[in-house]
Amino acid sequence: MLLRKLLTARSHHLLRRWASTDPLCFQNEKLQAYLESLRQEYYALRVNAAGNSSLYARLSRLDPVVNSLEKHRALQRNITPEQDLAAEKDEDMRALMLEENNVYAELLRKQEEAMLQELLALADHEDYPSLIFEVNAGAGGQEAMLFAQELYDMYTSYFEHMGWEYEQYAHETTDIGGLRYANLLVNDPEAYNWLRYEAGVHRVQRVPATEKSGRMHTSTASITVIPRPADVQVHIAERDLKIETKRASGAGGQHVNTTDSAVRIVHLPTGLAVESQSERSQLKNRELALKRLQAKLMQQQLESSEATKQATRKAQQGNLNRNEKIRTYNFVQDRVTDHRVQQGGTQHNLSGFLEGGQPLSDLIERLHLEQRKLKLVELIEEWQPPQKASDKS
C-alpha cells in the first residue's frame, strides 16, 4: 500500500502537465504553439525545398527539432490518462499502470532536455563561411598592448585547438613585445557561432613588472568579430582611393628613418582611413592596408543591413574604458571571470586559461548556453502565430 501511494504521488507530480509561465518549460502554451509551427514549417519544406539551397538548409536545421518533437509526442501517447487510472478497479493493475507512467515520464524529461538543446542550436545559429577577428589595445598604454598580445596568443592557440584555419593580414607590435592591433581571417563555418560572444572589452588587473610600489593596474583590450557572408562582396575602385606614404614611426631599425615605407589609405566615398607600417616594404604595407580597408567596408555593409541588431562593432568595442568589460583577467587573484555567466563564470589558474585550449573552450561553452537561452526566450516571446485566412477577412 505504501509503495502504491508513493507511485501515485510521484506520478501526479510528474504527469500533471499544467500550463507554465516559464517560456522554456515544455508545458508553456506559447512554446507548444511555437513548436507546432516549426513542425508545420518542416513538413511544408519537405514538399517545397527541392532545388532551393536556402530552403534545404532550413529544412536540415529543423530536422532534429521536429524529430525530437515527434518522439516526445509518441511518449506522451503511451502515458495512461488520470481519468483512466481512476476508473481502474484492480489495485495491482493500477499500480502497474502508475509505474509505467513514471517510466514514461522520466523518458519524457530526458527527451525534453534533448529537444531544448536542439531548439537552442536552432535559435542561435548563423551561417558564415569565415570571419574577421580583430584584437585592439585599449586603455592602459604599454600594459594594454602587452595584454593585447596575450589575448592574441590565447585566441590563435584556441583556433588551433578547434582545428580552424586562420590567416593574419595586419599586425602591429611594439618594441617591448606588445600589440597595437591585429586582424585575422578565420576560415571555418562554425567559427562565428563560437566566437561571436567573445567580442567586447576584456579587462586585465595586475601589477606590471615595471611597477616598483606594487600597485595593481587596470588595462583593457577589445575583441571584434565581423562575420563574412558568402554573398557579400566589396569592390574597391582605384579612383576612390587616396594613398599616402610616410616614414614609419617607432622602433624597428635604420629603415624606419630612411624609407617612406608606411602607407595610409583614405576611401574617399566613405571617408574611412587605414594605415599600415608593420612591414619594411611599402608594397607589402599597401597590400595590408587595402585588406584592412576591405574589412572595414565589409563591416560597414553588414552594419547597415543589420542596423536593428546590436552586434555592431561599436557595441562590441564600447569606448574601451576600464569600467566597461565582458571579462576580467585578474593576475593577483589568479582568476578569470566572465561577467555574463551566472554560474561557473569564474575559473582559476589564469596562466593555463591564457594558453587558449580546453579551459577557454569550457568557458565559451557555458557562455553559449546562457546566451542561447536568452535568445530563445526572446524569440518565443516575440513570436506570433500566423493569422488564419478567416481572421484576416
Short mmCIF file of all heavy atoms in Angstrom, two decimals, residues 2 13 40 55 73 86 95 104 124 165 215 275 281 290 300 315 318 350 366 378 382-383 390:
data_model
loop_
_atom_site.label_atom_id
_atom_site.label_comp_id
_atom_site.label_asym_id
_atom_site.label_seq_id
_atom_site.Cartn_x
_atom_site.Cartn_y
_atom_site.Cartn_z
N LEU A 2 1.96 1.24 0.81
CA LEU A 2 2.85 2.39 0.86
C LEU A 2 3.49 2.64 -0.50
O LEU A 2 3.59 3.78 -0.96
CB LEU A 2 3.93 2.17 1.94
CG LEU A 2 4.99 3.28 2.07
CD1 LEU A 2 4.31 4.59 2.44
CD2 LEU A 2 6.03 2.89 3.11
N HIS A 13 2.97 14.14 -9.55
CA HIS A 13 3.97 15.22 -9.64
C HIS A 13 4.54 15.33 -11.05
O HIS A 13 4.72 16.43 -11.59
CB HIS A 13 5.09 14.96 -8.64
CG HIS A 13 6.23 15.93 -8.76
ND1 HIS A 13 6.12 17.25 -8.39
CD2 HIS A 13 7.50 15.77 -9.24
CE1 HIS A 13 7.27 17.86 -8.60
NE2 HIS A 13 8.13 16.99 -9.12
N GLN A 40 5.00 22.27 -38.66
CA GLN A 40 4.27 22.53 -39.90
C GLN A 40 5.19 23.11 -40.97
O GLN A 40 5.09 22.76 -42.14
CB GLN A 40 3.10 23.48 -39.61
CG GLN A 40 2.00 22.86 -38.75
CD GLN A 40 0.86 23.82 -38.48
OE1 GLN A 40 0.75 24.86 -39.11
NE2 GLN A 40 0.01 23.46 -37.52
N LEU A 55 16.31 26.97 -48.63
CA LEU A 55 15.20 26.25 -48.02
C LEU A 55 15.66 24.89 -47.51
O LEU A 55 15.24 24.44 -46.43
CB LEU A 55 14.06 26.07 -49.02
CG LEU A 55 13.29 27.32 -49.45
CD1 LEU A 55 12.17 26.95 -50.42
CD2 LEU A 55 12.72 28.05 -48.24
N ARG A 73 5.99 13.44 -28.47
CA ARG A 73 4.55 13.21 -28.57
C ARG A 73 4.21 11.71 -28.53
O ARG A 73 3.17 11.33 -27.98
CB ARG A 73 4.01 13.86 -29.84
CG ARG A 73 4.04 15.40 -29.76
CD ARG A 73 3.48 16.06 -30.99
NE ARG A 73 3.42 17.51 -30.81
CZ ARG A 73 2.97 18.36 -31.72
NH1 ARG A 73 2.54 17.92 -32.90
NH2 ARG A 73 2.94 19.66 -31.46
N ALA A 86 -8.10 6.44 -12.54
CA ALA A 86 -9.14 6.49 -11.51
C ALA A 86 -10.23 5.45 -11.75
O ALA A 86 -10.83 4.92 -10.81
CB ALA A 86 -9.75 7.90 -11.46
N ALA A 95 -1.47 0.01 -9.93
CA ALA A 95 -0.08 0.21 -9.51
C ALA A 95 0.88 -0.01 -10.68
O ALA A 95 1.87 0.72 -10.85
CB ALA A 95 0.26 -0.72 -8.35
N TYR A 104 7.66 6.38 -18.31
CA TYR A 104 7.48 7.25 -19.48
C TYR A 104 7.71 8.72 -19.14
O TYR A 104 8.22 9.49 -19.95
CB TYR A 104 6.09 7.05 -20.08
CG TYR A 104 5.95 5.79 -20.88
CD1 TYR A 104 5.03 4.80 -20.54
CD2 TYR A 104 6.76 5.57 -22.00
CE1 TYR A 104 4.91 3.63 -21.29
CE2 TYR A 104 6.65 4.41 -22.75
CZ TYR A 104 5.73 3.45 -22.39
OH TYR A 104 5.63 2.30 -23.12
N ASP A 124 20.03 30.10 -32.32
CA ASP A 124 21.24 30.92 -32.28
C ASP A 124 22.31 30.36 -33.20
O ASP A 124 23.44 30.14 -32.81
CB ASP A 124 21.76 30.99 -30.84
CG ASP A 124 22.84 32.04 -30.68
OD1 ASP A 124 22.76 33.06 -31.36
OD2 ASP A 124 23.76 31.83 -29.87
N GLU A 165 41.34 27.05 -39.66
CA GLU A 165 42.38 27.71 -40.45
C GLU A 165 42.24 29.22 -40.26
O GLU A 165 41.14 29.76 -40.26
CB GLU A 165 42.24 27.37 -41.93
CG GLU A 165 42.52 25.91 -42.25
CD GLU A 165 42.43 25.63 -43.74
OE1 GLU A 165 42.17 26.58 -44.50
OE2 GLU A 165 42.60 24.47 -44.13
N ARG A 215 51.68 48.50 -6.99
CA ARG A 215 50.29 48.90 -7.20
C ARG A 215 49.70 48.17 -8.41
O ARG A 215 50.33 48.06 -9.44
CB ARG A 215 50.22 50.42 -7.41
CG ARG A 215 48.81 50.97 -7.52
CD ARG A 215 48.83 52.49 -7.45
NE ARG A 215 49.58 53.05 -8.58
CZ ARG A 215 49.04 53.37 -9.76
NH1 ARG A 215 47.74 53.17 -9.95
NH2 ARG A 215 49.77 53.88 -10.71
N GLU A 275 45.87 52.57 -42.09
CA GLU A 275 47.30 52.67 -42.39
C GLU A 275 48.02 51.42 -41.94
O GLU A 275 47.51 50.66 -41.11
CB GLU A 275 47.91 53.91 -41.75
CG GLU A 275 47.82 53.99 -40.25
CD GLU A 275 48.46 55.28 -39.75
OE1 GLU A 275 47.89 56.37 -39.95
OE2 GLU A 275 49.56 55.17 -39.16
N SER A 281 58.54 46.74 -46.40
CA SER A 281 58.23 47.04 -47.80
C SER A 281 56.98 47.91 -47.91
O SER A 281 55.95 47.61 -47.31
CB SER A 281 58.01 45.73 -48.56
OG SER A 281 57.31 45.95 -49.75
N LEU A 290 45.11 47.77 -47.71
CA LEU A 290 43.94 47.51 -48.55
C LEU A 290 43.07 46.41 -47.95
O LEU A 290 41.84 46.47 -48.00
CB LEU A 290 44.39 47.12 -49.97
CG LEU A 290 44.78 48.28 -50.89
CD1 LEU A 290 45.41 47.76 -52.18
CD2 LEU A 290 43.55 49.15 -51.22
N GLN A 300 31.02 47.73 -42.58
CA GLN A 300 30.05 48.82 -42.76
C GLN A 300 28.81 48.34 -43.51
O GLN A 300 27.68 48.69 -43.17
CB GLN A 300 30.72 49.97 -43.52
CG GLN A 300 29.97 51.28 -43.47
CD GLN A 300 30.77 52.39 -44.12
OE1 GLN A 300 30.91 52.45 -45.34
NE2 GLN A 300 31.30 53.29 -43.30
N ALA A 315 29.13 48.49 -30.63
CA ALA A 315 28.58 47.82 -29.44
C ALA A 315 29.59 46.83 -28.89
O ALA A 315 29.71 46.66 -27.68
CB ALA A 315 27.28 47.12 -29.79
N GLY A 318 32.68 49.04 -27.40
CA GLY A 318 32.41 50.04 -26.38
C GLY A 318 33.34 51.23 -26.57
O GLY A 318 33.78 51.54 -27.69
N LEU A 350 44.96 31.13 -14.10
CA LEU A 350 44.90 32.06 -15.23
C LEU A 350 45.92 31.75 -16.31
O LEU A 350 45.65 31.88 -17.50
CB LEU A 350 45.08 33.49 -14.71
CG LEU A 350 44.93 34.63 -15.71
CD1 LEU A 350 43.64 34.53 -16.50
CD2 LEU A 350 45.01 35.97 -14.99
N ARG A 366 29.92 27.40 -21.73
CA ARG A 366 28.97 27.85 -20.71
C ARG A 366 28.33 29.17 -21.10
O ARG A 366 27.13 29.39 -20.91
CB ARG A 366 29.69 27.98 -19.36
CG ARG A 366 29.86 26.66 -18.64
CD ARG A 366 30.23 26.87 -17.19
NE ARG A 366 31.60 27.34 -17.04
CZ ARG A 366 32.65 26.54 -16.96
NH1 ARG A 366 32.50 25.22 -17.01
NH2 ARG A 366 33.85 27.03 -16.82
N GLU A 378 13.74 35.24 -25.98
CA GLU A 378 13.35 36.43 -26.74
C GLU A 378 12.60 36.05 -28.01
O GLU A 378 11.59 36.67 -28.38
CB GLU A 378 14.61 37.23 -27.09
CG GLU A 378 14.35 38.50 -27.87
CD GLU A 378 15.63 39.22 -28.23
OE1 GLU A 378 16.65 39.05 -27.51
OE2 GLU A 378 15.64 39.95 -29.23
N GLU A 382 8.64 36.98 -28.72
CA GLU A 382 8.30 37.86 -29.85
C GLU A 382 7.49 37.13 -30.93
O GLU A 382 6.88 37.77 -31.77
CB GLU A 382 9.58 38.42 -30.47
CG GLU A 382 10.31 39.41 -29.56
CD GLU A 382 11.57 39.95 -30.20
OE1 GLU A 382 11.93 39.46 -31.31
OE2 GLU A 382 12.21 40.85 -29.60
N TRP A 383 7.51 35.80 -30.90
CA TRP A 383 6.84 35.03 -31.94
C TRP A 383 5.32 35.20 -31.85
O TRP A 383 4.74 35.21 -30.77
CB TRP A 383 7.19 33.55 -31.80
CG TRP A 383 6.44 32.67 -32.76
CD1 TRP A 383 6.73 32.46 -34.09
CD2 TRP A 383 5.28 31.89 -32.48
NE1 TRP A 383 5.82 31.60 -34.63
CE2 TRP A 383 4.91 31.23 -33.68
CE3 TRP A 383 4.51 31.68 -31.34
CZ2 TRP A 383 3.83 30.38 -33.77
CZ3 TRP A 383 3.41 30.84 -31.42
CH2 TRP A 383 3.07 30.20 -32.62
N SER A 390 -9.47 33.26 -42.10
CA SER A 390 -10.74 33.78 -41.58
C SER A 390 -10.51 34.98 -40.68
O SER A 390 -11.37 35.87 -40.57
CB SER A 390 -11.46 32.69 -40.78
OG SER A 390 -10.61 32.21 -39.75
#
